[in-house]
Amino acid sequence: MPVHPKDASRRKRLRHLALGTVSLGLGVLLLWKQTGFFLPAVSVLALLILLGGIARLWNWAAQKPRKPQELFLGLICLLLGGVMARFPSVTLYAAPFLFSAYLMLNGIVKLVDTALSMKERSEELIFCLIPAAFYLTFAGILLFLPQAHVRAVLICAGIYCLLLGGTYILDYVHSRIPAARRGLRRRLRIGLPALFSALIPHSVLLRLNGFLSQGREPEEFEDLVGGKSGEKPDLELFIHVSATHPFMAIGHCDIWFDGELIAYGNYDEAAQRPLGMGPGVLLISNKYDYIPFCLEFNQTTIFSFGLRLNPAQKSAVRARIREIKEQLLPWDPEELPANRKRFAARLQREQGARFYKFRSGRFGTYFVMSANCALMADWILSAAGTDILKLNGILSPGAIYDYLEAEFLKKGSMVVSRNVYRLPLTARQLREQDRALRPGKDLR
C-alpha cells in the first residue's frame, strides 16, 4: 500500500524526536552516573550487536545467491559483541583510546589543511592551525594517561549527547510550527559523528534497493515520497551514492543553480596523490546532460533536494559563485593521455562540460577529508543562510543529506522538494520532469 506523504513526514519527524530524546537521556545518564551507567549500557549494546550478528547470518543462509559481505559482517558482529559481553571493562578503558584516535584524526586533518593553506597562501591559515593544536594536544593527554581520563571522556560524551539531542528535538519542534520561509541564521550545527553521518546516503540507498526488490515503485518509498510543493526549485543539490563502489558509498555532491551544474572534485585522476589529495578541479555542465551521464558512467543513484530562495538569497549565491569563478583557470582533461578514458575527458567530449583549476585559495588542492565536494557545496549554500557546517569540521555529503532532510520536514523551510534519479534516465525525460513543475514564487 502506498505511503501517504503526510504519514511519511510524520514518521520521519517522530524519528527525529525519538533520536533527540534518547540522546538527551544518554547525555544525562553519562553525566550523572558515568561509569555506573556506562558498564551496564555496554552489556546491553553487546547483546544488541550479538542479535544483529545472528540476524545477518540468518539472512546470509536464507538468501540466494548468498552475499559474502553478509557472512563477513555477521561474524564481525558476533566477535565484537562477544568481546564486549565477556569483558565490559575493556570497552570502558578502550574509550579514551578511541576518543584520542578520533581527536588525532581531526588534528591530522587540520594539520594537512594548515600545510595546504600555507601552500595556497589562504587567508584561513589561522582557522586551521588553532584547531590542529587543540585536537593534537588533547589527543596526546588522553594517550599519555588513558585510564585517568575515563571520566573526562564520559563527561565529554555526555555533553555531546545533550547537544545532539537538543539539535534533533529543536528540529522536531520547528517541523511542527509553521513559519514563513526565510533565510536561516548561519550557526554551527551539532550533527551525528562523522562516520555515521557519512554513511547516511548509503544506508538510505540500501533500504531503497530492498524496497524496490519487492516490486514497488520509488515514489512509494518513505524517505522519498511526496514533496512539500510542486514548485520548481531555484537551487538543487545532488548527492551521488553507490551500493557497490566502495568510495562512492560515502558519496559525492554538486549543485545546480541559474542553469549551471557546478561540481568540485579530484577530476585530474592522472595527478592524484596519496591521502585522497590532488589538484582541485571545478566542472560546469548542463544538468540534463550531466545527471544521465553520471548515472551511467558511475552506476550510482542520485538523491536531490530542491531549495526555493528569495531575491536576496539568490543575489548572495550568485555573488559567491562569481567569487569562486574569479579564481579559475581553464583546464583540458585530455592534456594528459592517462586522463583520456576517464570521467572528466569523457564528460567533456560527450557532453561539452567545461573544466577549471584554481589559481590559489582553499580549493586549489583537493583533500578528501576537508577541501572536498561537500565543503564546496556548503560554501555556496552558506550564502543563502544554511547552517550545515559542524563543529568537528569534517564535512561529508551524508552530513548535508542529514541537514537538508531535517529542513525538508520543517514547515515553511526553503527546502521544498526531494527526488531520486536512477537508471534508466535520459536528458529528455529529465527535462519533461522539470517542465511538469510549476514556476515558483519569490520568497519574501
Side-chain angles (χ1 to χ4, degrees):
M1 180 180 294
V3 179
H4 193 278
K6 289 186 178 179
D7 293 336
S9 296
R10 188 181 303 113
R11 291 178 192 175
K12 295 295 292 184
R13 288 195 294 263
L14 289 174
R15 286 175 191 165
H16 280 208
L17 177 62
L19 176 59
T21 303
V22 170
S23 296
L24 210 60
L26 286 174
V28 170
L29 289 170
L30 281 170
L31 291 174
W32 179 30
K33 294 291 187 179
Q34 296 177 14
T35 56
F37 165 73
F38 186 82
L39 288 174
V42 167
S43 299
V44 174
L45 180 61
L47 177 61
L48 293 175
I49 292 174
L50 285 170
L51 292 175
I54 293 171
R56 284 190 176 276
L57 291 178
W58 179 271
N59 288 337
W60 172 78
Q63 285 177 345
K64 290 184 180 180
R66 292 174 176 170
K67 298 180 180 179
Q69 61 266 32
E70 281 292 307
L71 175 61
F72 176 74
L73 290 174
L75 293 175
I76 289 294
C77 287
L78 289 181
L79 177 62
L80 179 61
V83 171
M84 291 174 64
R86 181 66 181 85
F87 307 103
S89 59
V90 171
T91 306
L92 175 65
Y93 290 111
F97 286 106
L98 296 175
F99 190 54
S100 177
Y102 179 72
L103 292 177
M104 189 72 70
L105 174 62
N106 279 273
I108 292 171
V109 168
K110 291 303 177 184
L111 273 183
V112 174
D113 277 348
T114 301
L116 294 179
S117 296
M118 293 174 65
K119 175 187 173 186
E120 304 292 346
R121 298 182 180 180
S122 171
E123 297 176 357
E124 300 194 6
L125 174 61
I126 191 67
F127 297 105
C128 300
L129 187 58
I130 292 177
F134 172 83
Y135 285 128
L136 293 174
T137 299
F138 279 91
I141 292 172
L142 289 176
L143 282 175
F144 185 66
L145 289 172
Q147 294 186 7
H149 298 292
V150 169
R151 293 170 66 86
V153 170
L154 296 181
I155 290 172
C156 289
I159 293 172
Y160 171 78
C161 287
L162 289 178
L163 295 173
L164 179 65
T167 296
Y168 278 95
I169 289 174
L170 283 175
D171 282 343
Y172 174 78
V173 171
H174 291 155
S175 73
R176 303 298 300 165
I177 300 174
R181 291 176 189 158
R182 56 185 179 272
L184 301 173
R185 179 170 56 86
R186 182 70 173 171
R187 56 185 170 82
L188 292 171
R189 174 177 175 80
I190 306 300
L192 293 169
L195 176 62
F196 294 106
S197 63
L199 294 175
I200 288 176
H202 186 252
S203 66
V204 174
L205 177 58
L206 292 180
R207 288 193 289 113
L208 174 61
N209 288 343
F211 182 88
L212 297 178
S213 69
Q214 301 171 14
R216 305 175 72 176
E217 296 297 324
E219 293 77 12
E220 301 175 8
F221 184 58
E222 185 177 7
D223 282 56
L224 300 168
V225 65
K228 288 195 296 189
S229 74
E231 296 178 6
K232 187 172 183 177
D234 299 305
L235 182 150
E236 246 184 306
L237 188 138
F238 302 100
I239 297 175
H240 308 234
V241 64
S242 170
T244 55
H245 193 286
F247 180 76
M248 287 303 292
I250 302 300
H252 169 78
C253 61
D254 35 50
I255 282 178
W256 172 85
F257 180 71
D258 274 355
E260 288 185 334
L261 191 295
I262 298 173
Y264 172 78
N266 197 3
Y267 296 118
D268 188 357
E269 298 180 59
Q272 288 180 359
R273 301 196 293 273
L275 301 176
M277 297 175 64
V281 177
L282 190 92
L283 77 84
I284 298 176
S285 184
N286 182 299
K287 163 185 170 181
Y288 304 105
D289 298 323
Y290 176 81
I291 296 298
F293 179 87
C294 288
L295 292 174
E296 180 67 36
F297 187 90
N298 295 318
Q299 295 295 298
T300 53
T301 295
I302 300 176
F303 298 104
S304 79
F305 290 89
L307 283 70
R308 293 286 300 136
L309 308 179
N310 63 33
Q313 291 168 333
K314 291 178 187 177
S315 296
V317 171
R318 289 188 186 107
R320 180 61 51 83
I321 292 174
R322 190 161 54 247
E323 180 184 339
I324 292 169
K325 288 182 176 180
E326 289 172 354
Q327 300 289 325
L328 301 179
L329 291 169
W331 173 67
D332 181 4
E334 297 192 88
E335 67 182 19
L336 293 176
N339 277 330
R340 288 176 184 168
K341 293 184 179 180
R342 292 175 173 170
F343 176 86
R346 282 194 53 188
L347 184 63
Q348 179 179 259
R349 283 197 309 270
E350 298 175 21
Q351 308 300 340
R354 308 188 305 277
F355 288 85
Y356 304 87
K357 289 188 176 181
F358 288 78
R359 290 190 182 92
S360 60
R362 188 175 194 181
F363 296 101
T365 300
Y366 177 91
F367 179 36
V368 69
M369 297 292 286
S370 60
N372 57 17
C373 60
L375 187 65
M376 174 63 78
D378 178 61
W379 179 241
I380 294 173
L381 289 177
S382 65
T386 59
D387 61 344
I388 301 169
L389 189 62
K390 301 193 301 176
L391 281 170
N392 60 17
I394 298 178
L395 192 62
S396 68
I400 294 180
Y401 185 104
D402 184 43
Y403 167 75
L404 292 178
E405 182 185 55
E407 288 300 310
F408 177 80
L409 296 173
K410 295 178 183 178
K411 296 182 179 180
S413 81
M414 59 184 178
V415 183
V416 298
S417 66
R418 58 184 172 185
N419 204 347
V420 60
Y421 300 106
R422 296 169 57 85
L423 286 172
L425 180 70
T426 64
R428 180 179 179 180
Q429 290 171 328
L430 194 52
R431 285 191 175 93
E432 288 174 352
Q433 289 179 22
D434 280 1
R435 278 197 290 266
L437 298 173
R438 64 176 185 268
K441 298 178 181 179
D442 282 336
L443 307 180
R444 301 291 177 175

